[in-house]
Amino acid sequence: MTRRRLTFSAKAWIALVLSAIFFALDLWFWHRSILYVGAGLSTLLANFQVFIMMAAGAWLVVKGRPLSSSRTELTLYGAQLVFNGLWSWLFFRWQMGAAAFADVLILVLLVALTTRAFFRVKPAAGWLMLPYLAWVTFACALTYSMWQGNPGWL
């Protein structure tokens, strides 16, 4: 059996190193911010970066193009934002587990369609949406487990 060594281009190494630095700084800032604002707000602030990346992706899609040519992408983007906001109300305020799970399933689909649409216009915009897609997919699994595990509450 012959071992093959993985080789990466210079661009790939730069992306890997920058990602590692970003992740290390993110963890460092998150742990430091707990001392000042508490765990809850610190977690919200750390997750806020996902929304900044989404906004940057949307900006890349419309940058240099007439808004009329970005109608499909922006409609999908707006729809997923509405379903994202609705999920919080369904799950936390109204405690409707089945409806929250249905909402997050639709949200995963909308985010996947938005990501695909962004990739078609500008690949960098699609890449910026992938962390959000992963985050929403994880939220889908959590919603289902919370709904099934707490029948009296949800």
Side-chain angles (χ1 to χ4, degrees), residues 91 96-99 101-102 142-152 154:
F91 190 80
M96 300 170 67
F101 182 63
L142 286 177
T143 301
Y144 179 78
S145 65
M146 288 293 292
W147 169 44
Q148 294 300 306
N150 299 289
L154 290 171

Side-chain angles (χ1 to χ4, degrees), residues 65-144:
R65 297 174 67 202
L67 284 178
S68 61
S69 68
S70 303
R71 183 164 295 157
T72 302
E73 295 84 12
L74 293 179
T75 300
L76 286 167
Y77 184 78
Q80 61 87 20
L81 286 176
V82 168
F83 276 86
N84 189 332
L86 180 61
W87 177 86
S88 296
W89 284 91
L90 290 169
F91 190 80
F92 292 112
R93 179 70 176 149
W94 299 322
Q95 297 178 350
M96 300 170 67
F101 182 63
D103 176 86
V104 79
L105 283 175
I106 295 168
L107 180 59
V108 168
L109 176 66
L110 286 170
V111 172
L113 291 172
T114 304
T115 302
R116 186 179 74 178
F118 279 21
F119 263 115
R120 288 181 177 168
V121 173
K122 186 103 174 172
W127 284 108
L128 286 170
M129 288 293 290
L130 286 179
Y132 180 53
L133 180 59
W135 183 70
V136 168
T137 304
F138 181 63
C140 184
L142 286 177
T143 301
Y144 179 78

